[in-house]
Amino acid sequence: MYTLIEDSMFNTKTIKTENMFIPLEVGNVEYQKVLDDIIEQGADCWDGDIPEELQTDANAKQFAQQVEAYKTAVARLSQYQLSVGVPESSETIVTGQEWNEEAVEMQDVTETFVIPAIEPLEATVEVTTQEMGEDPVTSTVANPLIVKDNEERASAQALIDATPQPVKDHVNG
C-alpha cells in the first residue's frame, strides 16, 4: 500500500511504503515500480486516491507501453504467413535520369528487381519417436513451425484488437 507524504518545509513529495520512501523521480527504478503497480492494480495499491501527478505519469507510461506493443504486433502480422508463402513479385525503381536524344528530354532510368516466391511450408510433418526398448514409431503431425506462426499471429491480432483507439491513431498518424 502506497501513501504520498508531502513535506511543506522542504517542498518535497515522497511515496511511503512499508519499508521505504520513494522520491517522485521518473528515473528512479522504485518509482517506475510504483507506476507499474498503478497500471496493474489501480487505486487498490493506494491508501486513498492516487495523486494526480502519479496517475498522469502512470497513464503516460502505459500509453508508451501500448504504443510499443501495438507496433510490435503490427510488424508481426506484416510478416508472411508460413502456411501460405509469398508469390513472386517484382519492383521497379528509378535509379537516375539520362538525356534521350530521340525524345529530346530527360527520362528516368529504371531497374527492375524480381523478388522470388517463397513456397508455403508443408502442413504436416512426419515425426519419429522411440521409447526405450521399443521400435520407432512414425506419426504425422501438424507442422510445428506453422502451428507456432499461427499462434503468434493470433496473439498479435488479439493485441491489436484490444489496443485503445487513441494508441492506434497515434501510431498510424
Side-chain angles (χ1 to χ4, degrees):
M1 195 66 81
Y2 299 112
T3 306
L4 185 68
I5 307 295
E6 297 187 52
D7 185 340
S8 57
M9 185 170 149
F10 294 104
N11 196 27
T12 61
K13 296 179 183 178
T14 308
I15 301 166
K16 180 183 177 292
T17 68
E18 288 180 13
N19 57 1
M20 73 173 77
F21 291 89
I22 304 167
L24 275 67
E25 296 172 1
V26 175
N28 184 297
V29 172
E30 294 301 323
Y31 182 71
Q32 290 300 315
K33 290 179 184 175
V34 172
L35 297 181
D36 291 339
D37 287 344
I38 293 170
I39 292 167
E40 293 171 19
Q41 303 170 33
D44 292 344
C45 66
W46 274 89
D47 183 17
D49 293 334
I50 299 171
E52 186 176 328
E53 62 195 290
L54 272 82
Q55 186 64 62
T56 299
D57 285 352
N59 291 348
K61 181 175 184 172
Q62 183 177 31
F63 188 85
Q65 290 170 338
Q66 289 171 331
V67 163
E68 288 310 307
Y70 179 77
K71 287 179 179 179
T72 300
V74 168
R76 177 61 185 94
L77 285 183
S78 71
Q79 296 171 356
Y80 77 92
Q81 197 168 351
L82 297 180
S83 63
V84 176
V86 179
E88 182 179 280
S89 62
S90 63
E91 183 177 347
T92 302
I93 62 168
V94 176
T95 59
Q97 287 196 323
E98 65 182 27
W99 181 255
N100 182 323
E101 290 290 334
E102 292 176 17
V104 192
E105 65 181 4
M106 294 294 288
Q107 292 186 338
D108 290 340
V109 175
T110 61
E111 188 171 346
T112 300
F113 295 93
V114 175
I115 301 145
I118 300 174
E119 294 299 319
L121 295 181
E122 294 293 326
T124 59
V125 294
E126 289 188 352
V127 176
T128 303
T129 56
Q130 184 175 11
E131 297 289 328
M132 187 69 92
E134 303 262 336
D135 289 335
V137 176
T138 301
S139 56
T140 302
V141 298
N143 187 326
L145 295 174
I146 291 176
V147 170
K148 183 178 181 215
D149 183 53
N150 290 341
E151 288 171 351
E152 289 175 358
R153 297 176 75 75
S155 177
Q157 187 61 59
L159 190 143
I160 288 169
D161 293 344
T163 299
Q165 192 61 45
V167 173
K168 292 177 183 179
D169 292 344
H170 174 78
V171 172
N172 299 328

